[in-house]
Amino acid sequence: MPGSPPSSTPPARTARPAPTFPFSAVVGSEDLALALVLTTVSPEVGGVLVRGEKGTAKTTTVRALAAVLPEVAVVEGCRFGCDPAAPDPTCPDGPHDQDPATTRPARLVELPVGATEDRVIGSLDLRQALGSGEVVYSPGLLAAAHRGLLYVDEVNLLHDHLVDLLLDAAATGRSTVEREGVSIAHASRLVLVGTMNPEEGELRPQLLDRFGLTVEVAAPSEPALRAEVVRRRMAYDLDPESFAAAWSESETRLRHRLADAQARVAHVGLGDAELLLIAEVCAAFEVDGLRADLVTARAAVAHAAWHGRDRVTKADIRAAARLALPHRRRRNPFDAPGLDEELLDRLLGDDDPPIPDPPQDPPPSPGPDDSEGTGDAADPADAQAGDPPATPPGPGSADREDGPQGPADRQPEPPAAPEPSSTPDARDGDPTRGAVAVSVAAPGQAYRTRLFTARGVGTGTAGRRSRAVTSTGRTVGSTLPDGEHRPLHLSATVRAAAPHQATRGRTDGSRLRLVGTDLRHAVTEGRESNLVLLAVDASGSMAARKRMEAVKTAVLSLLLDAYQRRDKVGLVTFRGTEAVLALPPTSSVEVAARRLTDLPSGGRTPLAEGLLRAAETLRLERLRDPRRRPLLVVVTDGRATSGPDAVARSRQAAELLRATGVSALVVDCETGRMSLGLARDLAVRLGADHVRLGEVAAGSLVDAVRTERAALDPALRQTQGPRAA
């Protein structure tokens, strides 16, 4: 007001978010940086899957890439980010013939693991539908990520049907919505990037193949390089603004180089000879299908454009194959990804003569053989904030032709089977027993098992094993809102509101009048994932007559089944005088398979200790994840021979487990004509289902019934004899 003294309170300032860590300053992730650049240059490559342990800068590198992407031109006001030069003719906000254009930075859209299908692809706007009666489509994350990056952290923990939606959109460039009376299709050309920690579980091979490129990252082992990583991170945390400013020139050059590569990629030539060479490489590595050939060709074209070349060379094919083929060579879920680079070099032969880089404006950044621009931490001068490298360490170092193998390129050697050995075993305090033979049996080929489920209906995480009330599945009823995220049950909502229309003043022809208390959520029943805890008897009686080999094969098959059904698994083994938690509950069945392969057998049978260790493991896991129901699988012949009163203690342990209400299964490993029925007695005391070891396979019961019928009917036996043979 006039005459009022000036206010002494300064105006409030809006805090600016700290700049992201510069892409050019990332150290020790050359393959990751190259893969991200290639799929940015050509989104048709199909995205990148980044596998690596925790603390390897996966998320930092992905977020840094968004800052160097060139700005995009969009139609002003279009919720789907249409390109003014070529707008989507089916855009729900179109047509855009007369709409003005503007520019905005490329977006990085992050998809949380707990997202729903509605949030991903969009859905009907309920506020508009219930309020004004209009059918209005509310875009999802796929629309927001159009012409940008869609980042999924821990993609291996995302529901499979959501991963299918993402990969289909990344592969086709479009998203189609057919639900709730809405039929909409819009462009969704995006760069899909997923990161995962293999210790938390793997992606199914079918989904793994849908990612164009994959990279295995690990922390650098060189002390100087590790120190440089820490130095740069601490400098960034101390003053993000100054650190980003010191690398701004390098980021600008990288941004220009990306824009030039994106403009050049459509004009890069891929000759028939190079295309035939790609086909020979993919055939030699025995990859399934033709997606590997297509992705390798597209990545090779993008690599040539990134290096300013107008035609694909053998160096481009080598770089593309190293990123496109390793994860496609897996034959089963327990095979580690990898690539034999010696075979790749033999297939490609000598490299083509070097082609001089064409002149560009701005000029291309220095290559890896120059004195600068590599981001190498060996020279302390390169780490100075005032003199940052000219190019990021990743893409720049991709020029190497025969560089050292990275973590993703090493073909892991299979563990050698240990020779049978003799180790002393206390034998329950009887030293006169002497040494006990301990052997390690190798499992055979895994097979498809029967479906074993937990009893009742649970409420756990959506999966593929036991019945449960989950967020997906068939609708079985409705409920009042209870804080849980559930889909709307439209018909139940209308039925709840119908009796109150007269009191709410609704007249003939007017719209339905709803209030908040009318809302009903759908109750859907599907399948849940469980905790499958395997308690395996590894005593001497199990090692007799190659029984342990059959046991390991059955357990490996159960692990494969748990992998396919998205379960967590744990492994308890017992032999001698003790039981050991060989593998705490985890989603990584690969680790469980390795522990199983190396499992020795021999000694007496501490059955009570094995059951008690399983009970304690289940108790602790119930505290960590109370909604995930366990399924205990005890693999044993039922003998209890370790310690005084071994049989009585094992019966008490079984009854203790039964009192907890855990669903259990006893796999009876007893063989021979004279059966003692000890495992069956254990199943009764546990309240568990009982199956013989030979009945674990999916077709075993059908084969048994067919054999019995053939034995009873001579005519049937004659007709089925040739089929069985």
Side-chain angles (χ1 to χ4, degrees):
M1 295 178 60
S4 301
S7 174
S8 59
T9 303
R13 291 191 231 175
T14 303
R16 292 190 305 169
T20 58
F21 192 90
F23 191 77
S24 306
V26 177
V27 182
S29 299
E30 289 81 6
D31 286 342
L32 172 56
L34 176 61
L36 292 175
V37 163
L38 294 185
T39 195
T40 301
V41 171
S42 178
E44 290 79 7
V45 168
V48 181
L49 175 65
V50 187
R51 297 162 43 93
E53 56 195 16
K54 51 186 176 294
T56 50
K58 302 186 296 293
T59 302
T60 298
T61 307
V62 174
R63 290 175 176 169
L65 176 65
V68 296
L69 294 179
E71 289 191 340
V72 294
V74 296
V75 175
E76 187 173 353
C78 178
R79 297 174 297 167
F80 301 87
C82 281
D83 186 355
D88 180 14
T90 63
C91 177
D93 288 353
H96 300 301
D97 298 334
Q98 306 296 327
D99 294 338
T102 185
T103 59
R104 61 166 172 79
R107 289 176 178 170
L108 170 65
V109 178
E110 298 193 30
L111 175 64
V113 172
T116 62
E117 183 176 349
D118 292 347
R119 188 71 186 95
V120 175
I121 64 174
S123 64
L124 179 70
D125 191 329
L126 290 179
R127 181 175 300 178
Q128 294 283 345
L130 298 179
S132 61
E134 299 177 5
V135 178
V136 178
Y137 172 69
S138 178
L141 296 179
L142 289 180
H146 178 45
R147 305 173 67 198
L149 292 173
L150 181 62
Y151 173 51
V152 186
D153 193 13
E154 306 294 352
V155 66
N156 51 327
L157 303 181
L158 199 66
H159 290 171
D160 289 343
H161 71 286
L162 294 183
V163 177
D164 287 332
L165 291 175
L166 301 182
L167 295 178
D168 286 342
T172 63
R174 298 193 66 78
S175 175
T176 303
V177 183
E178 296 283 352
R179 57 184 307 168
E180 299 168 349
V182 176
S183 179
I184 286 179
H186 62 83
S188 183
R189 187 171 180 265
L190 51 88
V191 176
L192 178 62
V193 181
T195 59
M196 58 174 285
N197 185 349
E199 295 179 354
E200 297 175 346
E202 288 284 348
L203 283 173
R204 290 186 289 115
Q206 295 86 346
L207 299 182
L208 192 63
D209 181 64
R210 297 296 297 272
F211 278 95
L213 310 177
T214 187
V215 180
E216 192 89 14
V217 296
S221 56
E222 299 84 355
L225 194 57
R226 295 175 71 97
E228 181 62 21
V229 172
V230 175
R231 183 181 298 112
R232 294 188 184 185
R233 185 68 208 190
M234 293 181 68
Y236 170 79
D237 292 340
L238 184 63
D239 191 349
E241 298 284 349
S242 299
F243 188 84
W247 290 85
S248 60
E249 184 178 349
S250 178
E251 295 283 275
T252 300
R253 282 195 293 267
L254 177 59
R255 189 177 295 107
H256 289 161
R257 186 178 177 186
L258 278 172
D260 177 75
Q262 289 175 340
R264 180 187 297 273
V265 68
H267 307 289
V268 174
L270 177 62
D272 292 340
E274 288 75 21
L275 189 57
L276 181 60
L277 185 57
I278 291 175
E280 292 175 352
V281 168
C282 295
F285 281 105
E286 298 179 347
V287 296
D288 295 328
L290 295 175
R291 185 175 285 117
D293 305 60
L294 188 60
V295 171
T296 304
R298 288 171 173 170
V301 171
H303 190 267
W306 169 247
H307 289 284
R309 292 190 285 267
D310 292 327
R311 70 178 181 87
V312 173
T313 65
K314 290 183 179 179
D316 302 318
I317 297 176
R318 175 180 285 105
R322 289 180 59 251
L323 299 173
L325 299 184
H327 62 298
R328 293 187 166 88
R329 298 188 62 245
R330 302 181 65 177
R331 285 295 177 264
N332 64 69
F334 302 135
D335 292 340
L339 191 70
D340 186 353
E341 289 211 7
E342 292 184 0
L343 174 60
L344 180 61
D345 291 339
R346 290 197 302 269
L347 293 170
L348 293 178
D350 296 332
D351 292 326
D352 299 328
I355 301 176
D357 291 336
Q360 301 179 21
D361 186 19
S365 304
D369 298 329
D370 296 343
S371 59
E372 61 177 326
T374 63
D376 193 345
D379 185 359
D382 291 342
Q384 299 298 322
D387 187 21
T391 58
S397 62
D399 289 326
R400 68 184 190 278
E401 304 291 335
D402 297 303
Q405 294 184 2
D409 308 318
R410 300 190 186 100
Q411 182 70 17
E413 296 292 336
E419 295 293 334
S421 59
S422 294
T423 59
D425 193 331
R427 288 284 188 140
D428 308 325
D430 186 2
T432 62
R433 293 282 186 175
V436 177
V438 176
S439 61
V440 177
Q445 183 66 35
Y447 48 78
R448 187 169 65 90
T449 67
R450 295 165 53 190
L451 173 60
F452 301 105
T453 63
R455 293 186 294 268
V457 180
T459 57
T461 304
R464 298 181 177 180
R465 183 172 296 277
S466 304
R467 291 177 56 199
V469 176
T470 61
S471 57
T472 59
R474 63 187 183 92
T475 301
V476 296
S478 62
T479 183
L480 292 170
D482 54 2
E484 295 286 337
H485 182 81
R486 303 177 190 273
L488 176 69
H489 198 303
L490 189 57
S491 60
T493 299
V494 172
R495 286 197 301 269
H500 308 287
Q501 296 305 297
T503 58
R504 294 174 185 172
R506 181 189 177 191
T507 58
D508 294 340
S510 62
R511 296 188 179 94
L512 183 69
R513 298 194 175 186
L514 300 172
V515 296
T517 56
D518 297 332
L519 292 179
R520 298 293 185 272
H521 286 171
V523 177
T524 54
E525 182 179 300
R527 296 281 178 174
E528 68 175 355
S529 65
N530 298 110
L531 165 62
V532 179
L533 181 62
L534 298 161
V536 181
D537 184 351
S539 61
S541 62
M542 300 290 291
R545 290 176 291 184
K546 294 187 177 181
R547 189 186 300 177
M548 199 61 192
E549 179 180 344
V551 168
K552 285 190 175 182
T553 303
V555 176
L556 184 68
S557 303
L558 290 171
L559 286 175
L560 177 61
D561 182 67
Y563 168 83
Q564 294 170 339
R565 299 186 188 281
R566 315 304 288 168
D567 295 320
K568 293 181 69 174
V569 295
L571 180 62
V572 172
T573 64
F574 50 97
R575 55 174 291 270
T577 60
E578 62 179 1
V580 177
L581 181 59
L583 180 70
T586 176
S587 296
S588 179
V589 295
E590 291 184 342
V591 178
R594 291 196 295 268
R595 302 284 173 87
L596 176 69
T597 301
D598 299 335
L599 176 65
S601 58
R604 293 195 173 186
T605 310
L607 180 57
E609 285 74 8
L611 297 178
L612 292 175
R613 178 56 62 93
E616 178 64 12
T617 302
L618 294 176
R619 185 186 69 83
L620 295 176
E621 191 63 21
R622 192 177 294 113
L623 295 176
R624 298 188 185 99
D625 191 356
R627 297 184 59 182
R628 187 183 295 272
R629 293 191 297 163
L631 174 63
L632 175 63
V633 181
V634 183
V635 185
T636 181
D637 57 7
R639 299 173 186 267
T641 60
S642 178
D645 300 326
V647 175
R649 288 190 299 110
S650 64
R651 291 175 177 175
Q652 292 175 358
E655 292 169 356
L656 175 64
L657 262 170
R658 181 174 186 170
T660 64
V662 62
S663 298
L665 169 72
V666 175
V667 179
D668 189 350
C669 302
E670 190 176 23
T671 57
R673 297 181 179 179
M674 299 300 294
S675 175
L676 300 178
L678 298 177
R680 184 180 295 276
D681 179 70
L682 174 64
V684 172
R685 295 183 181 276
L686 275 173
D689 295 329
H690 172 269
V691 296
R692 293 190 176 275
L693 183 62
E695 298 174 353
V696 173
S700 57
L701 293 181
V702 176
D703 295 339
V705 172
R706 183 176 296 166
T707 303
E708 185 69 18
R709 290 183 60 195
L712 296 175
D713 188 346
L716 183 62
R717 182 171 64 250
Q718 291 178 1
T719 58
Q720 289 189 351
R723 288 180 58 190

